[in-house]
Amino acid sequence: MSTELQTQLLDSKGLKKTPIRRELVSLFLQNSNALSFHDIQDGMSSKLDKSTLYRNLTSFEEAGLIHKINDHSGIAKFALGQQDLSDDHAHFVCDNCETVSCMEGSVSIDVKVDDKVHVKQIQTIVHGICGNCNS
Amino acid sequence: MSTELQTQLLDSKGLKKTPIRRELVSLFLQNSNALSFHDIQDGMSSKLDKSTLYRNLTSFEEAGLIHKINDHSGIAKFALGQQDLSDDHAHFVCDNCETVSCMEGSVSIDVKVDDKVHVKQIQTIVHGICGNCNS
DNA sequence: ATTTTAAACGCGACTGAGTTGCATCTGTAA
DNA sequence: TTACAGATGCAACTCAGTCGCGTTTAAAAT
């Protein structure tokens, strides 16, 4: 049932199901955009301690439930790691409203790489103006 | 003459040529890798005030002499913006020694983009193990 | 050469993100 | 139901980066 989606996600990653974690997962499920720490703190029903939130975000990230995005602002944002998006998916940053969202599709690079260099992951940030701001 | 390359670079960007700025440009010219604030502070011949350095880095960035790179560490790194590299060039981050360097070549994306979305710039960070560490 | 002035410098105080140590509480498994 | 690892909250802390302000200096004007 739909109210149990958070439970399924936490279970699937072997994470303990506390009330805070359930609400935190719900918050991510409700938002397609990446969330800053303050978006998260403001989005929870009660004001929670920041170390609790940061520790949960770290646990979620280590478990692969969410991923961290570092854009040019220097402030980390977090978004659900979705199965239908590749590991190397791109992120879109609106230079006007500063919204960050994940992009479907693939990124390919055509760069000179030395033989000894081992490429493991590609992270791409696409800057521009989002549909909302461009109206 | 070669000792005047810093002067040329500062002149070409309309930046005032102070002793600190000359040495700062020299430091960037000597390093192919991107430099963190502490790399820079340690690389200068005398210990300089951090606000002076930060303000110079900001001026250099605004003038297009250098560019800022935000990798997963959350700590900004700076590198010369070189003419032979495209604006949208990729950065390589070694997950072992944490060195950051610019990559020649181009990045292309194949992602779904809404009609209203206007893409302005693509920034890519390639993670892996560098040649030095992979020996 | 001297004066002028906008901009660079240094100092110190500050902000804000993120971390850590520790005592208490709670989810879960035995 | 109990036991315990791990989650929570609080407070103190670290560290990157910024800002205000008084002083100095590069470079243009005289």
Side-chain angles (χ1 to χ4, degrees):
Chain A
M1 50 198 88
S2 68
T3 58
E4 297 295 325
L5 184 50
Q6 321 110 22
T7 303
Q8 288 172 32
L9 278 169
L10 289 168
D11 273 339
S12 71
K13 302 295 183 181
L15 291 162
K16 207 183 258 191
K17 298 181 291 293
T18 68
I20 291 176
R21 292 188 170 184
R22 287 175 200 268
E23 194 186 352
L24 195 46
V25 174
S26 294
L27 189 63
F28 278 115
L29 287 168
Q30 286 159 30
N31 284 276
S32 56
N33 294 331
L35 302 173
S36 70
F37 176 80
H38 285 287
D39 294 335
I40 293 166
Q41 205 171 35
D42 294 348
M44 301 291 280
S45 56
S46 61
K47 167 130 188 178
L48 300 168
D49 187 72
K50 62 177 176 171
S51 47
T52 299
L53 284 179
Y54 274 118
R55 281 192 270 240
N56 276 326
L57 291 170
T58 303
S59 300
F60 283 14
E61 195 191 0
E62 283 170 0
L65 181 56
I66 63 173
H67 62 283
K68 197 199 281 191
I69 304 152
N70 282 77
D71 64 16
H72 200 265
S73 75
I75 296 167
K77 293 196 175 62
F78 302 87
L80 275 186
Q82 294 160 267
Q83 282 85 0
D84 57 333
L85 290 177
S86 75
D87 231 28
D88 293 354
H89 68 269
H91 294 110
F92 183 82
V93 177
C94 177
D95 290 334
N96 187 51
C97 67
E98 293 175 8
T99 296
V100 178
S101 54
C102 298
M103 301 175 94
E104 293 177 53
S106 64
V107 176
S108 65
I109 56 169
D110 175 25
V111 290
K112 288 185 198 166
V113 176
D114 192 277
D115 282 349
K116 285 186 177 170
V117 173
H118 175 224
V119 171
K120 291 202 291 195
Q121 198 197 8
I122 301 169
Q123 291 180 345
T124 297
I125 290 184
V126 178
H127 282 265
I129 304 294
C130 73
N132 252 3
C133 291
N134 215 8
S135 303
Chain B
M1 50 197 85
S2 69
T3 57
E4 297 295 325
L5 184 49
Q6 320 111 24
T7 302
Q8 287 172 34
L9 278 169
L10 288 168
D11 273 339
S12 72
K13 303 295 183 180
L15 291 163
K16 207 182 261 191
K17 298 179 292 293
T18 69
I20 291 176
R21 289 187 172 185
R22 286 175 201 270
E23 193 185 352
L24 195 47
V25 175
S26 294
L27 189 63
F28 278 116
L29 287 168
Q30 288 159 29
N31 284 277
S32 56
N33 294 330
L35 302 173
S36 70
F37 176 81
H38 285 286
D39 294 335
I40 294 166
Q41 203 171 35
D42 295 347
M44 301 292 278
S45 58
S46 63
K47 166 128 192 182
L48 301 167
D49 187 71
K50 63 177 179 170
S51 45
T52 299
L53 284 180
Y54 274 117
R55 281 192 267 240
N56 276 326
L57 291 170
T58 303
S59 300
F60 283 14
E61 195 192 359
E62 282 169 2
L65 182 55
I66 62 173
H67 62 283
K68 197 200 279 192
I69 305 153
N70 282 77
D71 64 15
H72 200 265
S73 75
I75 295 167
K77 293 196 175 63
F78 303 87
L80 276 185
Q82 293 159 266
Q83 282 84 359
D84 58 332
L85 291 177
S86 73
D87 231 31
D88 292 356
H89 68 268
H91 294 109
F92 184 82
V93 178
C94 177
D95 290 334
N96 187 50
C97 67
E98 292 175 9
T99 295
V100 178
S101 53
C102 298
M103 301 174 92
E104 293 176 52
S106 64
V107 177
S108 64
I109 55 169
D110 175 25
V111 289
K112 286 184 201 167
V113 177
D114 192 275
D115 281 349
K116 286 187 177 170
V117 173
H118 176 223
V119 171
K120 291 202 291 194
Q121 199 198 6
I122 302 171
Q123 290 181 343
T124 298
I125 291 184
V126 178
H127 282 265
I129 304 296
C130 74
N132 252 2
C133 291
N134 214 9
S135 303

